[in-house]
Amino acid sequence: MKVALLPGDGVGPEVVHEAVRVLEALDLPGLTLLEGDVGGAAYRRHGHPLPPETLGVARAADAVLFGAVGDPGCDTLERHLRPEQAILGLRSELGLFANLRPAAMIPGLEAMSALRPEIAARIDLLIVRELNGDVYFGEKAIDVLPDGRRRGRDLMSYAEDEVRRIAHVAFRAAQGRRRRLCSVDKANVLETSQLWRDVVIEVAAEYPDVSLEHMYVDNAAMQLVRDPGRFDVIVTGNLFGDILSDQASMCVGSIGLLPSAALGERETEHGTFGLYEPIHGSAPDIAGQGIANPVAMILSAAMMLRHSLGAPEQAERVEKAVARTLADGVRARDLGGSAGTEDVGDAVIRRL
Ligand code: IPM
Ligand code: MG
């Protein structure tokens, strides 16, 4: 089992380090770790946020464990050299179109939610976010109009096959859960969303056991804080999924808690090739202080064990150890505690 480690920027290396310690504590037979530079760190060393060597390391692996990218010192670079291009490049180059972002309340953390505890207690949802299309990858430019005004534009588009394949992922995920799927779009205004909705309805015919509803994204944002417990699986496009998943994280309690998996169609010896990353960013304000919460990263490693490494029992062991750690009150600052990054890692390893 080959795992590529791409720690990246800011708190990325700190949290990846803890996830690696957890993986090593599991004593998986034949686990090999490879490493690559990515993001601002790669730009500084190689002049590019996603050097070909890094892409090569990722391709050669069964799974990628990705920390975070983002570096304020790089924000004035041309867009193609900015750190964020590394993760976008990996997602598209590796065909990772399906982003699974689970958000579930961890018992004992209800009071940390931005919502009332009795509402937060019911959260157990999965956001299935499309990852290879939408305004993220459409034609984009800042140009100058004939009258001299500057104009920015980003093309939103989805082809039907792109919608169909993510819809299948979402319907199958719903079959493994509470069999309810909510497709989020903005079909009252956007043609891209109208096509999205039409295709999701076509695909639904193959899943009569899953109940499907459609919701406009503005309403979805509202329902997510009004009654998040009403959601099982949400499927949506790249941009709406980006926004709603950050929102879901604060409903649970902290953006430092939520993991994610980016999957494509490539099968490996042990499972599906995937890239695993916390949904949080590089958090430059707290980088290097040893205080970042490594839970989202450790839970991302658990998702990797389940989806890419064929080790679901080990995934469950890690998830249970994390839940016990938090229930026992070992919490980093984002959760109102005083545990450092390594303290949380130590506590998880002790509970494995
Ligand atoms: C995420 C992040 C990325 C995204 C950024 C870093 C490009 O916000 O994974 O949610 O927008 O997809
Ligand atoms: Mg985001």
Side-chain angles (χ1 to χ4, degrees):
M1 293 185 274
K2 279 195 215 139
V3 173
L5 304 175
L6 308 183
D9 303 321
V11 300
E14 299 165 56
V15 295
V16 166
H17 183 69
E18 297 313 309
V20 168
R21 291 206 301 135
V22 169
L23 286 175
E24 283 172 345
L26 295 175
D27 250 329
L28 302 166
L31 177 69
T32 312
L33 302 174
L34 318 162
E35 218 175 309
D37 291 324
V38 77
Y43 174 75
R44 288 169 204 283
R45 292 185 60 183
H46 313 274
H48 197 279
L50 182 57
E53 309 84 75
T54 301
L55 202 51
V57 167
R59 279 193 212 281
D62 296 300
V64 178
L65 212 50
F66 185 95
V69 289
D71 177 341
C74 294
D75 283 351
T76 53
L77 293 173
E78 279 178 68
R79 183 162 302 280
H80 76 280
L81 294 176
R82 292 196 203 160
E84 290 77 9
Q85 295 305 308
I87 184 62
L88 300 179
L90 283 162
R91 290 169 182 169
S92 65
E93 289 291 326
L94 302 174
L96 304 170
F97 68 89
N99 195 197
L100 310 183
R101 297 191 158 190
M105 178 48 68
I106 298 177
L109 285 190
E110 294 81 358
M112 293 311 307
S113 171
L115 307 179
R116 286 202 304 280
E118 68 274 18
I119 292 176
R122 300 182 52 228
I123 304 173
D124 182 4
L125 60 88
L126 171 69
I127 297 178
V128 177
R129 170 190 177 196
E130 200 289 329
L131 217 46
N132 281 177
D134 207 346
V135 284
Y136 272 65
F137 293 97
E139 189 192 317
K140 51 183 72 227
I142 298 177
D143 45 27
V144 182
L145 296 169
D147 65 5
R149 286 177 301 144
R150 286 171 301 161
R151 175 186 62 177
R153 56 200 171 82
D154 299 85
L155 180 71
M156 177 181 274
S157 80
Y158 268 119
E160 59 179 309
D161 54 305
E162 296 176 298
V163 181
R164 202 167 286 123
R165 65 182 184 175
I166 193 70
H168 279 291
V169 170
F171 276 107
R172 273 186 248 121
Q175 284 180 322
R177 295 176 46 106
R178 300 194 303 279
R179 296 173 189 271
R180 296 208 324 266
L181 179 61
C182 177
S183 173
V184 171
D185 62 37
K186 188 70 185 170
N188 50 347
V189 178
L190 303 174
E191 290 301 333
T192 312
S193 282
Q194 187 58 56
L195 179 82
W196 175 282
R197 190 175 282 219
D198 294 347
V199 173
V200 170
I201 290 171
E202 287 161 24
V203 174
E206 296 176 45
Y207 301 89
D209 54 332
V210 174
S211 81
L212 171 68
E213 66 171 335
H214 304 274
M215 200 181 276
Y216 298 137
V217 64
D218 48 351
N219 185 24
M222 180 178 75
Q223 301 303 335
L224 206 48
V225 292
R226 194 186 69 89
D227 182 18
R230 75 183 296 297
F231 292 108
D232 179 15
V233 179
I234 293 174
V235 64
T236 190
N238 207 344
L239 181 64
F240 299 156
D242 179 45
I243 298 167
L244 293 179
S245 57
D246 269 32
Q247 190 183 340
S249 75
M250 286 318 291
C251 297
V252 172
S254 167
I255 196 162
L257 294 173
L258 297 200
S260 78
L263 304 172
E265 269 151 6
R266 197 181 117 207
E267 293 298 315
T268 68
E269 209 181 311
H270 315 282
T272 306
F273 175 79
L275 179 149
Y276 301 83
E277 56 170 329
I279 77 156
H280 64 69
S282 59
D285 52 325
I286 58 162
Q289 299 175 41
I291 58 172
N293 187 353
V295 163
M297 189 74 239
I298 294 172
L299 291 176
S300 299
M303 291 187 85
M304 173 177 81
L305 288 164
R306 178 172 294 115
H307 294 284
S308 290
L309 301 186
E313 346 47 52
Q314 304 288 12
E316 210 166 297
R317 259 179 89 193
V318 173
E319 286 160 354
K320 284 190 173 146
V322 167
R324 276 199 297 272
T325 298
L326 294 168
D328 290 347
V330 183
R331 297 178 190 175
R333 303 231 185 146
D334 58 319
L335 295 172
S338 59
T341 310
E342 277 192 19
D343 302 327
V344 177
D346 286 340
V348 171
I349 290 165
R350 271 199 301 276
R351 287 166 180 76
L352 277 177

